[in-house]
Amino acid sequence: MVNMAEEKELYLGYATDKAVTPFMQDFLEALDEERLMKSVCPECGAEYLPPREHCQKDLSICELEEFTEREAKLRSYVIVDFAPASLASKAPYVVGIGEFPSGCRLTAHITNLMSQPEVGMDLKLAFETIDKHKITYKWLV
Ligand SMILES: [Zn+2]
C-alpha cells in the first residue's frame, strides 16, 4: 500500500487573475472569495460544476449560480502513481470524484488521507489559497 499520510501540497488550481472571458472572470472572482459557482442552463436546466459557459446539450449560454454544498460522498477515485513532470515529486496522490446530495459531482485532490480511500466515504470541500490570485479547492476526509 502506498503511504498517503504525509501532507501533500498540490498546486492544480486556478490563477484568478487570468480569466479569458467575462464568464470565467465572474467564476474566478467568486473563487477568490472562496465561493464556488456552478452554471445552470436556462433552456434545459442542466447544471455544470465547475461551470461551463455553454450547455453541452443545446449550446445555450449558461448562468452562474453560487454552489453552497460542502459535504459529499466519494464516488470514485484514482491513485496517481506516475504524474506529469510538474507533479512528479508529489506522486502518489489521490484524485477523487465527490458527489453532493444534489447529485452534482466535482473532481479534486484528496489531500489528507491517512489510509486507502474508500468509495462512499465522507468528503468535505475546502479551499486553499496558495498565493495572491492562486486558489484551489480540494477534498478533505
Ligand atoms: Zn441546456
Side-chain angles (χ1 to χ4, degrees):
M1 168 183 156
V2 294
N3 175 19
M4 290 173 290
E6 67 179 289
E7 184 76 18
K8 301 281 186 193
E9 294 178 19
L10 293 173
Y11 294 164
L12 287 183
Y14 294 91
T16 56
D17 56 349
K18 300 262 194 316
V20 292
T21 66
F23 182 90
M24 276 303 284
Q25 182 72 38
D26 290 347
F27 167 66
L28 293 173
E29 281 178 6
L31 202 57
D32 248 346
E33 299 166 357
E34 301 197 348
R35 294 186 300 126
L36 183 59
M37 307 298 274
K38 65 180 178 182
S39 66
V40 181
C41 173
E43 293 301 316
C44 72
E47 296 187 342
Y48 299 99
L49 186 70
R52 290 174 175 271
E53 189 160 357
H54 295 93
C55 178
Q56 276 186 313
K57 296 170 186 164
D58 51 42
L59 301 181
S60 298
I61 306 267
C62 294
E63 292 161 2
L64 288 171
E65 280 183 22
E66 187 160 358
F67 185 82
T68 56
E69 292 176 83
R70 293 294 178 265
E71 314 279 334
K73 300 278 189 195
L74 182 60
R75 176 85 185 195
S76 180
Y77 66 88
V78 61
I79 299 172
V80 180
D81 286 315
F82 301 98
S86 61
L87 286 170
S89 67
K90 312 294 185 189
Y93 58 87
V94 180
V95 175
I97 299 175
E99 185 171 289
F100 295 96
S102 64
C104 281
R105 294 178 185 174
L106 188 66
T107 302
H109 290 112
I110 310 176
T111 56
N112 66 338
L113 279 169
M114 297 299 285
S115 60
Q116 291 286 88
E118 284 178 41
V119 170
M121 73 194 304
D122 291 330
L123 298 174
K124 189 164 175 48
L125 186 66
F127 296 91
E128 183 177 351
T129 299
I130 310 298
D131 206 344
K132 186 171 166 55
H133 297 306
K134 286 194 177 65
I135 192 164
T136 189
Y137 47 76
K138 60 187 181 180
W139 295 120
L140 300 177
V141 295

